[in-house]
Amino acid sequence: MALGFPKPIKHDDPRLKGKETDYQASRGGWIPREKKPVPGTPKK
């Protein structure tokens, strides 16, 4: 399996934190998710 896990893991496993990807054919496949702003934080 991909990240070296011996068996299938659940989608909410904490070891996957920060490795999320989205598929976008126009950009060539699987890419890291874009960071979205957190509501309520001030803009710089």
Side-chain angles (χ1 to χ4, degrees), residues 3-41:
L3 298 167
F5 300 120
K7 56 186 174 182
I9 58 175
K10 297 184 179 182
H11 65 86
D12 59 350
D13 193 304
R15 296 175 288 180
L16 294 176
K17 186 103 174 142
K19 306 261 191 284
E20 297 90 357
T21 57
D22 288 322
Y23 186 79
Q24 292 185 354
S26 63
R27 294 183 64 190
W30 292 97
I31 59 166
R33 288 187 178 169
E34 294 180 17
K35 301 207 188 286
K36 297 187 178 178
V38 178
T41 56

